[in-house]
Amino acid sequence: MQLRMVPIALSLLATLTLLFGGWFLYQKMEVEEPIKHEIGQMESAKLARLEVAKDRIQVDLTVTNPELFPREYQDLRVKLADLLQNKAVDITIHNNAKALEDIWTNGVFSFTEAVDLHEYSRIPQIVSQWKEAYRLDEASTQMDEENIYVYLKRGTDDFYTIVPRYPAKEVTARG
């Protein structure tokens, strides 16, 4: 029995095309498009970069409205977790002007100390001191149950970071 190479090669090519084309179409339609749609609904951020890997998804955001962002960030995390149940999602903030990042780096010790000691009322004072000392146009903080959000702005440069809290380790007074 003699095998004909041309039909075998064409069958293999057609099978691989369908397999990888289907996978590519699935990635685009069922993974990337829903993520882009959810981020497109946000008023406080826009998509800077989206990278989809086999077991994780990297989403880079640029914050456009720091006042609204904390609420929308929590909503986005919940929606993406529901949408992508078996993949890890890493969300990174892309607002990081070098000059303002240096201010953050210089002041992060006192900020981290306030977070670690659960003296959250000191954080607005610390950021206000940065605003005066470095002549910033804006310097603000917000906090929710999981994170502390810090925004610095000078001219057209801005810096936004999210610092996680660890509420399970916090001591609360009752009574």
Side-chain angles (χ1 to χ4, degrees), residues 15 21 24 26 36 42 48 63-64 66 72 80 82 84 90 95 98 102 104-105 109 111 130 148 152 155 164 166:
T15 302
F24 179 76
Y26 170 78
K36 289 178 180 178
M42 295 177 72
V63 176
T64 57
E72 289 189 341
L80 291 182
D82 289 343
L84 309 165
D90 298 323
N95 301 57
K98 179 69 175 137
D102 290 343
W104 170 254
T105 302
F109 180 79
F111 185 92
W130 295 349
I148 301 166
L152 307 174
Y166 301 101

Side-chain angles (χ1 to χ4, degrees), residues 11-174:
S11 295
L12 180 62
L13 182 63
T15 302
L16 290 175
T17 301
L18 284 173
L19 179 66
F20 288 111
W23 178 80
F24 179 76
L25 191 60
Y26 170 78
Q27 287 289 93
K28 285 287 185 197
M29 300 302 290
E30 297 297 323
V31 177
E32 288 182 23
E33 288 304 318
I35 293 171
K36 289 178 180 178
H37 176 74
E38 290 299 332
I39 294 170
Q41 303 262 331
M42 295 177 72
E43 297 176 24
S44 63
K46 62 182 181 178
L47 183 64
R49 185 175 69 94
L50 176 63
E51 181 181 319
V52 178
K54 186 172 77 169
D55 58 345
R56 72 169 188 80
I57 296 178
Q58 177 66 43
V59 178
D60 291 351
L61 297 176
T62 302
V63 176
T64 57
N65 187 338
E67 293 298 318
L68 290 176
F69 184 73
R71 186 189 75 237
E72 289 189 341
Y73 175 73
Q74 291 301 331
D75 292 343
L76 179 65
R77 287 184 55 209
V78 169
K79 288 176 183 175
L80 291 182
D82 289 343
L83 186 67
L84 309 165
Q85 297 171 355
N86 59 345
K87 291 188 180 196
V89 179
D90 298 323
I91 300 175
T92 305
I93 306 303
H94 216 251
N95 301 57
N96 51 1
K98 179 69 175 137
L100 298 176
E101 189 173 351
D102 290 343
I103 294 170
W104 170 254
T105 302
N106 290 337
V108 77
F109 180 79
S110 59
F111 185 92
T112 305
E113 179 183 47
V115 172
D116 287 347
L117 295 175
H118 310 295
E119 297 176 347
Y120 299 114
S121 61
R122 282 185 42 210
I123 292 172
Q125 296 168 347
I126 292 168
V127 173
S128 179
Q129 290 170 355
W130 295 349
K131 182 178 180 181
E132 291 176 25
Y134 295 105
R135 297 185 180 127
L136 301 174
D137 297 333
E138 285 184 58
S140 63
T141 58
Q142 292 186 46
M143 185 171 72
D144 61 20
E145 300 81 29
E146 297 178 19
N147 300 306
I148 301 166
Y149 306 87
V150 180
Y151 179 68
L152 307 174
K153 180 174 178 65
R154 180 171 43 205
T156 58
D157 293 338
D158 62 351
F159 177 82
Y160 199 97
T161 190
I162 301 171
V163 180
R165 292 177 53 197
Y166 301 101
K169 296 180 181 179
E170 293 181 12
V171 177
T172 57
R174 301 192 190 249

